[in-house]
Each structure stands twice: as structure tokens, then as C-alpha cells.
Amino acid sequence: MSNDVAVDVRGLSKHFGDRVIFKDVSLQVRKSEVVAIIGPSGVGKSTFIRCINYLHPFDEGSITVLGHELHGTASGGPPPTRAQLREIRTHVGMVFQTFNLFQHLSVLENIVLGPMDVKKVPRAQAVERAMGLLEMMGLTARANMYPRRLSGGEQQRVAICRALAMDPQIMLFDEPTSMLDPELVGDVLEAIQRLAQEGMTMILVTHEMMFAKEVADTVVVMADNTIAEMGPARQILEAPRTLRAQNFLARVLRRNADEEARLTAMGGDEG
Amino acid sequence: MHLAWLYAGVILQGAVVTLELTVVSTVLSFILGIFGALGRIYGPPWLRTAILAYVELIRGLPPILQLFIIFFGLTQFGIDLPPFTAAMIWLVIYGTGYAIEVFRAGIQAVADGQREAATAVGMGFLSTLRKVVMPQAFVLMLPPLTNFVIIQLKNTTLVYFIGVADIMYQAQLGADATEQPGTLYALAAVAYLIMNGTLSRIAAHLERKAAAYR
């Protein structure tokens, strides 16, 4: 494996009981590469990216993350040690669909908790770093508020700060904008785009096709519990080769067109 | 009225005993309850079953029967406990059974996403529990825990039956001696109301403080 590879997934399979979540998923992510995973709901996209930081164990296959090897529970490899998991999770940041900010802590405390608890960063230093991140996101004024006082977009940007405070080398995003009101999506996408420009390695599950086309180097289409097709973003989104990818994209495009038509019609009613 | 003043001191002596039983048994029940709840949620299957069985046993038996088993029943096996000790042991055993359920519900009511987020930044199981899950669980548990303490305080009256000199015991003694049970019971009632009222006030204050982030 070349040093250039950040994440190397080989033959990954996972079941819950006898339900197949995904099977035989293989994927290589280079350093600084941005990979967008798209596909219909319920094909295991979210579960898949949770395997990369081992929030979910998997049955078969292996994942090499920044040189640490994780094995499927059914494939006979040794289970990861606690130290290994801490190492991986320190270097792999994650942002969730539902933000999951710690409700009982202020914005600032949300961000410093990880560095102080896991990396034993002195408080003053952690606070300084956190304030720097908040400033970058334009959230300085929110530092001492509780999460629920913030809008969804603000909460998600705080969640990004919380992940970045650990100085990760890889960032995982699980549908970061799908719980947001449409007018709040832009700020979050902008923040993610800035990270991409700075060369952060990223894997993101998303429903924002335009964003994927703009920001991602590689697009992965997951359908029927496995990877249907992957390749350069533009090629996949504009000229998919497999039938399953074509079907999915056609459905998404039709839905977007319907929505536009509906909006136009509504505008017409008002006018 | 003169009589009430005469007996206020004795009732106060009883109140000290009642308070001692309540506070010590509550603290111990909470500590054991937390461990019980953690074992019940995260422990191996045999432990989960054992704790569940314990909870069912405590919930299933009438309080007075439990107390009598500990104080009278055990004498048959040569275990002769002093009344106060037996009372305390019973209150802890009984309180723990209920505390386990309160803590279990509280811990499980904290959203899974909170644990997931803490795990994702690399926090270990104990850190996550101590710094993320428990602080949120405590806020959720404040109302049932308040209820718990108040009920536990009232449960202490049962120790009267094994001769522990709590409020109830002193009131009964006074009632028998003076033949004015109404006055003595009223005195006891005032003592209980003052204690439980104070508890409610403390709980309300804590809830207001904790509500800041909700």
C-alpha cells in the first residue's frame, strides 16, 4: 500500500441479524481526496462510514485507516485494542446528521472536551484553539451559549469545530445538511468546501448532488447494498455507466425538477 | 398547646433518627443504584439477569415483610441485628431496588447520539459516562429521584414496628402516655411536612438550575 492512501477498505460486509446492510464494499481514499457517497436511503451509507472509525464493527473484510488495520469480527483477525481505537478516532473526525452536540455543555465546552479528555491538552491551549475555530466559523459570539439556543446551521458548524479541534487527518460527514432548513444549508456546505480546499481528506455521505459535483473528487454510488459505481465526480454524475447508478440519478434529477416546477407554480399563484 | 411544646423536643429527637435513616440509606442506595443500573445495562447476561431478579424481588415483596425478614426472620439463623442496624440495612436494600430502575431509565433516556459523538472524538467508556451521559441523565432523573427520597423518608415510619425511636415511634409513645393522640400525631405530621417540604424546595431549586440548557 502506498503512503498516499489514507483509507483502504477491502471487501467490507455487514449484517444486522440476517439483514444485509452492505456487502463486499471496497474503496481507496487518497490523502486530500474528497469522496462523496450518494445513493438511495437505507443502503447502508451511514453504517458504512461508521465502520471507518469503528463506531460500528463489521463482519467481513478489512479497513486500513492511517496505517491501523481493522478486521471484520467474522474474518478471524484480532479485534482492535482500546489504544488503537483511540488513535484512529483521534485522527478521524466525524460530523453527524443530527449534530449530536453535548446538550449540557456550552459551545466552547463542547469543543474543548475532546482535546482535554483524550489528548490531555491543557485547558488554556484547548480554549485558545476552540476560539480560533469558532472565529473561523463566525461563531465567536456563541461560545458561551448552550447548543439548543443555536440554529441548526450554527449547531452543525460547532460540530465541525468540535471535530476539527482534535486536529484530524480525515473527516467523515454523515449527511451533514439533511436536517437543516434549506436557507441554513449554504453556511455548512461552505465550511465543508473550505476544508476541502485546505486539503483535508474527507468522506461524506450526502444528498446534495450539486455540492458533490463541485467539491468531491470521487463520487461513489451505493445501491442494492453495495457500490454500484464509482469514479470521478463529474463523470459519475453526468454520465453514469451502470444501470443502478443511472436509475438513482434519474430519480434524484426528476425529484429536483419536480420541486423546481412546484416552486415555479407557487410563484405563479402568488403573482 | 402546652402539651405540644412539651413533646416537641421528643419529636425532634425522633426527627434526628428519621433524618439519619433517610440520608444514609439514600446516599448508599444511590451509589449502589448507579452500579446496579450500569450492570443492568452494560454487564454480561448473567449479571443483568441477577440484577433484574433482585429488582423484581424488592418490588414484589411488601416493605413490612422485608423488614420483618431482616429483623425477626434472620434470628432463626442466629443473626440477631439491633433494631437500628436492621432498619438501615432494610432501607438500603429496599432503596437500591428502586434506585436501580430510576438510574437505568435515566441513563437509557440520554440520546444515543450523545454517546456516539463522545466515542467518535476518542473518549473512552468511563469518560463518556462521567462527562457526557451521567450529567444529562441526572437532570432527567431529578423528578423521579426527588420522589424517591420523599417516599424513602416516609418508608422510615415502618421501622416503628421493630422499635426504632423515629418520629412515628416517639409520637406513638407520647400518644399512649398522654391519651391525646390527635395532638401528638399532628406534631408528627408537622415534622414530616417540614422535612419533605424542604426536600421539595431543594429539588425545585436544582431543577431550575439544571433547566438552563434544556
Side-chain angles (χ1 to χ4, degrees), chain A residues 80-145:
Chain A
T81 62
R82 248 189 282 180
Q84 253 179 332
L85 287 180
R86 194 178 53 222
E87 188 70 13
I88 290 170
R89 287 167 183 162
T90 311
H91 293 120
V92 180
M94 184 157 199
V95 172
F96 301 89
Q97 182 177 10
T98 47
F99 329 133
N100 298 359
L101 292 178
F102 305 128
Q103 295 298 309
H104 63 304
L105 298 178
S106 70
V107 163
L108 182 66
E109 296 302 323
N110 261 277
I111 300 172
V112 300
L113 180 60
M116 286 174 59
D117 183 81
V118 182
K119 294 170 87 172
K120 308 297 174 206
V121 175
R123 183 171 176 88
Q125 199 183 322
V127 168
E128 197 187 320
R129 172 92 172 106
M131 290 310 291
L133 287 165
L134 285 173
E135 196 186 337
M136 189 184 80
M137 292 282 178
L139 291 170
T140 309
R142 301 279 183 266
N144 294 313
M145 291 185 181

Side-chain angles (χ1 to χ4, degrees), chain A residues 50 101 103-104 117 148, chain B residues 114 116 127 131 213-214:
Chain A
R50 276 171 172 73
L101 292 178
Q103 295 298 309
H104 63 304
D117 183 81
R148 61 158 296 160
Chain B
Q114 298 286 310
E116 208 175 30
S127 274
K131 297 178 182 172
Y213 72 79
R214 305 187 75 189

Side-chain angles (χ1 to χ4, degrees), chain A residues 204-238:
Chain A
L204 77 144
V205 174
T206 186
H207 290 300
E208 303 278 340
M209 299 300 152
M210 288 305 293
F211 181 71
K213 199 195 290 191
E214 223 173 291
V215 174
D217 302 300
T218 306
V219 165
V220 174
V221 183
M222 275 182 87
D224 298 333
N225 310 102
T226 191
I227 292 181
E229 187 169 347
M230 67 176 143
R234 201 160 278 277
Q235 182 246 304
I236 297 289
L237 293 169
E238 286 173 2

Side-chain angles (χ1 to χ4, degrees), chain B residues 101-116:
Chain B
E101 281 305 283
V102 173
F103 282 103
R104 181 186 64 80
I107 291 168
Q108 288 183 333
V110 175
D112 282 336
Q114 298 286 310
R115 263 171 274 250
E116 208 175 30

